[in-house]
Amino acid sequence: MLVSYEWIQDYIEIDDITPEEIAEKMTRSGIEIDFIHNRNSGATNIVVGYVKAIEQHPDADKLNVCQVDIGEEEPVQIVCGAPNVDAGQYVAVAKVGARLPGNVKIKKAKLRGQLSQGMICSLQELGIEGKLVPKRYAEGIYVFSEDAAVNPGDDVLTIMALNDRVLELDLTANRSDCMHMIGVAYELAALYDRPVKLPKAKVREIKEMAEEHISVQVDHAKDTPFYQALVIKNVQVGPSPAWLQNRLMAAGIRPISNVVDVTNYVLLEYGQPLHAFDFHALGTGEIHVRRAYNDESFTTLDGIERTLSEEQLVITNGKEPVALAGVMGGLDSEVTDSTTTIVLEAASFAPALVRKSSKLMNLRSDASARFEKGVNESRIGEAARRAAYLIQDLAGGQVLNGDVTVDHRVKKETTISLNLEQMNHRLGTSLSISEVANIMGRLQLPCEKVDHDLVVTIPERRKDLVIKQDLYEEVARIHGYDNIPSTLPIGTTTQGKRSPKQLVRSQIRRVLSATGLADVISYSLTSPAKATRFVEDVYRPIRIDKPMSEERSVMRTSLLPHLYDIAAHNRNHRNQDLFIYELGSVFLTTEERLTVLPREEERVAGLISGTYLNHMWQGEKKQSDFFLLKGMVEQLFASLGLTADVTFKQTEQADFHPGRTATILLKGEPIGIIGQVHPALEDEWHLDESYAFELTIEPLFNQANQMVLYQGVPKFPSIGRDIALVVDQHIPVADLTTVIEEAGGSLLKQVNLFDLYEGEHLEDGKKSVAFSLTYRHNERTLTDEEVQEQHEQVLEALTDTYQATLRS
């Protein structure tokens, strides 16, 4: 919303307050002022000139030599190339020494041999945007109208209000009451405790009745709660006076004609959109407001033929549409220079319906922006009378007696009971009831004391005031946020902290990042092929209604396909070494057609490929492999206190290498998969040798134990024993470790695998594994005999359980 500092003073006296002070005050009270625009973009020394004579330039067909009176002793000669310059005109002249926007300095010059002592200016040259310049002056100089009452030498910047300042309001959606000048005046009146002056709206009506010429029919009361039509005869359509054009241009609206400009002026003044129809172009004396028919065609004022639907509301002449209700008028019934009688429409349309219509047509206007938020229905008639008054004054129109109105408005009085004690407690203030009543008076909200409460009546213009907390906010901002004392919190406070689930998520990210994996984020949407390929057969893909593409048409059921896509993208861009993970959700359902919401399951997945370690100076290099990724996952479980509860069981699964894949078990229950990506899938995605895992993290939320237990440094020495065993190849090392830990008892503190051998000097089907065992007593020094006895128990347990033998 653009608010002219000069225009707003018609409604409230603020000439003693600068625009900067107003901007500061309004911003502090909750309505942000983004910018203060200077209408003068650097122009100086621009005066009114009277073109006394004009001759064609002797050496140029498109130039004219003008003798111009600029209020000095002698006229000056100016060479002008504008096609609309003529003798007898009052024009804007930049004198010698003047400056124009863009720091253009005007000097004496000779143009094709003729002296030019200044410049006759167009509106664009004075700094007005081309889109705001009236069409009649778009390609030429600006000419003052005959009723402008200007004299040679007068200051153009003052006459055209180019020294005005314009405040740009950044309004939130709830403050639609400030989308017009009177609403802003109410706001300033509350801030500065000054009265508001409403504009003149008293119309002189002739005896002829409007209802004799026009009738109004409304099909649905909910679609159109109020519709009023006024008839104005003997209208003389022409340019608006300069003051009206200047105010519209300051507000960002292009002047068109006096009738259309008046409707736009009242739109900005009252926030009430109006529309003027050419009465004779309507073709009938009937206005019928109804829903559009499907595939009904209609041409709007912008000359575009549009196809309508029954979701849109139209104004018709009883036969065909003449306006798209609340959005834009029709081309066939627009006001033109030949119009003599108009029908002035003032209405209220359902906000949701206007918003829907505007969206379907991809057409947004100043009218639709206001209808969408809801207009002040109590002042629709007043706005119409104001427009009729201006048309009567500026276009010589005769307003017919009465109006034709269909009124389905539900008139109800909204009141809010304000408890002073509760309000002061919430705001931290100690305002008295008289002080609060004074603030309500400044806001022009009627109120009365009932017992210990203040009952406030909410006017129609303040649709944002619904509950008592809204009034608390009004009191706070008018009293001044800076005037609210600083106080310490009273009562029990709760220290903010993360929930258990947030702690687990944070730990997962911290550990995986520490192991060298980079966090990635991918789409939650995927293709049907990927959604069915990487999930159990019982689950069905969940298709969305309006997908961006077939590749993003269903909800994902696994994180792995997107990790493969990211890996392939990096490989194509010569990034061969890739270490990534993603923590996100998958969406699962067993239904062909959804009747209930799908299950959203949180998972974490990772992928490694390429060289993990490359120390060129030390000559150390390590490629990614299964055990590297397994170690990363084990580190994650260790950080969550789950090492003892997690096991890995060799398995086979589609799209994973059959010999290098394991199911991850938590307390015997499967929670994920880890392994090498199947070579066939690597070829399909054009990947190098890659390893991946995927875990469901819901069980981790329930089982994680992040309590840290600290132990003192051991006081007594440890004794180490190595053991090399020959066992069957199919026996997992983890099972051997479990047997050793159980047999070692309390003295065995640590078991480490340090060698694995298969091949020469061993029987077929056998392998050699070597462990380092550490024994220690917490309260004394162990003897060799005690350690040897415990060590023999370990060997016996391995022999009994897995027929293990010592390697010779």
Side-chain angles (χ1 to χ4, degrees):
M1 176 68 188
L2 298 177
V3 176
S4 161
Y5 177 70
E6 177 266 335
W7 184 2
I8 195 67
Q9 295 184 56
D10 283 4
Y11 315 103
I12 182 171
E13 293 182 3
I14 53 167
D15 55 347
D16 59 327
I17 308 170
T18 66
E20 288 77 12
E21 291 171 336
I22 292 173
E24 175 70 15
K25 187 85 169 179
M26 291 187 72
T27 300
R28 284 181 175 271
S29 69
I31 296 181
E32 185 177 355
I33 308 298
D34 278 348
F35 300 101
I36 300 177
H37 302 279
N38 290 314
R39 291 201 69 202
N40 186 343
S41 302
T44 61
N45 210 10
I46 313 297
V47 299
V48 174
Y50 177 70
V51 182
K52 301 182 69 173
I54 181 172
E55 295 179 354
Q56 185 175 335
H57 193 292
D59 297 322
D61 294 340
K62 294 185 179 181
L63 296 179
N64 295 293
V65 180
C66 306
Q67 303 301 320
V68 185
D69 180 3
I70 58 172
E72 297 179 351
E73 292 182 2
E74 298 290 335
V76 295
Q77 178 173 294
I78 299 176
V79 178
C80 179
N84 62 329
V85 66
D86 203 355
Q89 294 175 338
Y90 285 93
V91 294
V93 176
K95 298 168 63 176
V96 173
R99 288 190 180 275
L100 294 178
N103 201 27
V104 176
K105 187 175 181 180
I106 303 301
K107 303 177 182 178
K108 285 184 182 181
K110 281 192 176 183
L111 299 178
R112 298 285 185 93
Q114 295 293 318
L115 178 66
S116 184
Q117 298 170 290
M119 177 179 178
I120 302 177
C121 299
S122 67
L123 290 179
Q124 294 95 320
E125 288 164 337
L126 294 178
I128 296 175
E129 287 186 80
K131 66 178 182 180
L132 302 179
V133 174
K135 288 184 178 180
R136 68 179 65 87
Y137 303 128
E139 302 298 330
I141 60 170
Y142 178 70
V143 180
F144 289 97
S145 59
E146 295 179 359
D147 60 353
V150 294
N151 297 302
D154 289 351
D155 183 12
V156 168
L157 301 178
T158 301
I159 295 169
M160 299 187 66
L162 290 178
N163 290 322
D164 189 15
R165 312 282 295 283
V166 179
L167 285 74
E168 183 175 339
L169 277 61
D170 185 5
L171 296 174
T172 52
N174 64 317
R175 291 308 304 271
S176 60
D177 62 296
C178 286
M179 291 184 72
H180 49 90
M181 301 298 291
I182 294 176
V184 176
Y186 276 121
E187 181 70 14
L188 293 174
L191 294 175
Y192 292 102
D193 196 12
R194 299 185 181 188
V196 172
K197 299 178 292 183
L198 295 178
K200 295 179 181 179
K202 190 173 182 179
V203 179
R204 302 183 305 275
E205 297 178 340
I206 63 176
K207 292 183 179 180
E208 192 175 349
M209 301 296 295
E211 61 186 14
E212 296 175 1
H213 296 269
I214 198 77
S215 65
V216 175
Q217 177 186 347
V218 172
D219 278 2
H220 303 290
K222 289 185 178 180
D223 292 350
T224 312
F226 183 87
Y227 194 97
Q228 184 180 89
L230 283 72
V231 181
I232 307 176
K233 296 177 63 176
N234 299 323
V235 173
Q236 298 175 9
V237 177
S240 298
W243 67 266
L244 179 53
Q245 293 189 32
N246 290 334
R247 288 187 172 182
L248 289 179
M249 287 189 288
I253 295 179
R254 180 184 220 167
I256 297 173
S257 68
N258 48 12
V259 172
V260 176
D261 291 351
V262 163
T263 61
N264 286 328
Y265 184 83
V266 175
L267 166 76
L268 296 171
E269 192 173 46
Y270 279 84
Q272 173 61 48
L274 305 172
H275 187 68
F277 298 100
D278 185 317
F279 174 76
H280 298 292
L282 283 175
T284 67
E286 180 182 353
I287 286 181
H288 182 195
V289 187
R290 61 168 171 82
R291 291 292 185 99
Y293 305 132
N294 282 327
D295 298 326
E296 188 172 20
S297 62
F298 164 66
T299 304
T300 47
L301 280 170
D302 53 10
I304 299 175
E305 184 175 348
R306 303 178 185 275
T307 302
L308 308 178
S309 73
E310 61 184 10
E311 295 180 282
Q312 296 171 280
L313 191 67
V314 291
I315 316 298
T316 74
N317 61 1
K319 299 177 182 178
E320 56 190 10
V322 294
L324 188 56
V327 182
M328 186 174 283
L331 185 64
D332 295 337
S333 60
E334 71 170 327
V335 173
T336 64
D337 291 344
S338 60
T339 299
T340 57
T341 302
I342 65 168
V343 176
L344 184 65
E345 168 196 278
S348 172
F349 302 114
L353 201 58
V354 175
R355 184 163 54 251
K356 181 73 171 179
S357 183
S358 176
K359 185 177 180 180
L360 287 173
M361 294 291 98
N362 193 23
L363 181 63
R364 187 169 176 82
S365 62
D366 289 322
S368 68
R370 287 160 175 81
F371 275 126
E372 286 175 10
K373 292 177 174 60
V375 296
N376 182 359
E377 292 185 348
S378 65
R379 277 195 167 153
I380 299 177
E382 182 182 337
R385 293 286 160 178
R386 170 65 170 166
Y389 168 83
L390 290 172
I391 292 173
Q392 180 180 265
D393 184 45
L394 303 179
Q398 294 177 309
V399 182
L400 271 58
N401 199 323
D403 51 61
V404 182
T405 301
V406 175
D407 190 354
H408 295 296
R409 292 175 295 184
V410 178
K411 299 178 181 178
K412 60 179 181 179
E413 188 176 80
T414 303
T415 59
I416 299 176
S417 183
L418 188 64
N419 183 279
L420 195 66
E421 183 179 352
Q422 292 177 356
M423 184 205 74
N424 279 324
H425 178 73
R426 178 64 63 89
L427 298 180
T429 54
S430 56
L431 297 173
S432 66
I433 196 164
S434 61
E435 289 175 311
V436 176
N438 176 260
I439 290 174
M440 294 298 123
R442 289 167 61 177
L443 289 163
Q444 302 200 29
L445 305 178
C447 63
E448 60 177 342
K449 184 181 178 183
V450 178
D451 296 329
H452 298 292
D453 294 346
L454 201 62
V455 178
V456 182
T457 302
I458 308 302
E460 175 71 18
R461 64 184 175 85
R462 291 302 303 271
K463 297 179 185 295
D464 59 311
L465 303 181
V466 180
I467 57 178
K468 61 184 179 181
Q469 285 79 5
D470 294 331
L471 289 181
Y472 295 171
E473 183 181 3
E474 292 299 296
V475 171
R477 68 187 192 85
I478 300 302
H479 176 64
Y481 293 121
D482 293 344
N483 296 325
I484 296 176
S486 299
T487 58
L488 292 173
I490 299 174
T492 304
T493 58
T494 303
Q495 181 180 2
K497 62 179 181 179
R498 291 177 176 175
S499 68
K501 289 188 177 182
Q502 289 174 325
L503 288 172
V504 171
R505 292 191 194 99
S506 177
Q507 183 69 0
I508 291 172
R509 286 193 167 93
R510 185 183 303 114
V511 172
L512 293 181
S513 296
T515 60
L517 302 185
D519 191 2
V520 298
I521 300 174
S522 61
Y523 281 110
S524 294
L525 304 174
T526 188
S527 66
K530 293 175 183 176
T532 54
R533 179 172 178 177
F534 297 92
V535 71
E536 297 175 35
D537 294 338
V538 295
Y539 294 117
R540 299 290 179 263
I542 304 165
R543 178 170 286 274
I544 62 174
D545 287 341
K546 296 179 180 179
M548 297 181 291
S549 65
E550 187 65 16
E551 189 64 22
R552 299 278 183 263
S553 61
V554 298
M555 306 298 289
R556 67 183 177 187
T557 54
S558 172
L559 302 180
L560 291 175
H562 290 312
L563 293 186
Y564 299 154
D565 288 338
I566 293 170
H569 177 81
N570 277 267
R571 186 178 184 276
N572 292 338
H573 288 77
R574 301 298 180 185
N575 183 14
Q576 308 291 344
D577 303 327
L578 194 67
F579 305 89
I580 57 176
Y581 79 94
E582 179 173 11
L583 196 156
S585 295
V586 299
F587 306 87
L588 306 172
T589 184
T590 57
E591 297 181 305
E592 290 288 350
R593 295 177 62 88
L594 283 179
T595 58
V596 295
L597 289 175
R599 175 161 59 93
E600 184 174 348
E601 186 177 277
E602 283 191 81
R603 293 186 183 178
V604 60
L607 180 143
I608 64 174
S609 180
T611 304
Y612 180 71
L613 187 65
N614 188 5
H615 286 169
M616 297 184 66
W617 186 258
Q618 289 86 359
E620 185 180 2
K621 191 171 185 179
K622 182 175 180 59
Q623 294 293 325
S624 300
D625 59 20
F626 174 86
F627 294 105
L628 174 62
L629 185 62
K630 180 172 178 283
M632 293 176 175
V633 175
E634 287 176 331
Q635 182 65 34
L636 171 61
F637 289 129
S639 71
L640 298 174
L642 298 174
T643 300
D645 299 322
V646 173
T647 55
F648 296 82
K649 182 179 180 181
Q650 187 172 349
T651 188
E652 292 188 10
Q653 182 167 317
D655 294 316
F656 278 93
H657 193 295
R660 300 175 185 174
T661 303
T663 299
I664 304 172
L665 306 173
L666 177 62
K667 291 187 175 179
E669 296 295 326
I671 63 168
I673 190 80
I674 183 172
Q676 181 182 343
V677 179
H678 197 285
L681 189 143
E682 290 175 347
D683 291 342
E684 181 182 340
W685 252 272
H686 306 292
L687 302 177
D688 293 328
E689 184 176 302
S690 303
Y691 299 84
F693 76 91
E694 185 173 30
L695 297 173
T696 300
I697 63 175
E698 185 65 34
L700 305 185
F701 293 147
N702 303 324
Q703 302 292 335
N705 178 16
Q706 293 182 276
M707 182 180 294
V708 178
L709 298 178
Y710 294 92
Q711 292 181 337
V713 177
K715 296 181 179 180
F716 301 96
S718 62
I719 297 177
R721 290 286 189 271
D722 292 342
I723 182 172
L725 305 170
V726 177
V727 295
D728 293 339
Q729 278 184 336
H730 69 273
I731 298 175
V733 171
D735 293 350
L736 296 172
T737 303
T738 301
V739 171
I740 293 172
E741 290 174 343
E742 291 175 352
S746 60
L747 296 182
L748 182 61
K749 302 301 182 184
Q750 194 171 2
V751 179
N752 291 319
L753 174 72
F754 68 86
D755 184 58
L756 174 64
Y757 176 75
E758 296 176 1
E760 191 178 357
H761 307 303
L762 287 178
E763 297 179 28
D764 292 340
K766 298 290 184 178
K767 65 181 177 182
S768 171
V769 290
F771 297 94
S772 174
L773 282 61
T774 302
Y775 297 92
R776 182 190 300 112
H777 197 289
N778 294 331
E779 297 178 354
R780 59 184 175 81
T781 301
L782 289 173
T783 64
D784 286 341
E785 290 77 11
E786 290 176 304
V787 173
Q788 187 61 33
E789 181 181 351
Q790 196 68 44
H791 196 61
E792 288 176 356
Q793 291 181 14
V794 170
L795 290 173
E796 185 177 348
L798 290 169
T799 302
D800 293 343
T801 306
Y802 294 111
Q803 291 75 50
T805 60
L806 288 175
R807 182 179 177 184
S808 58

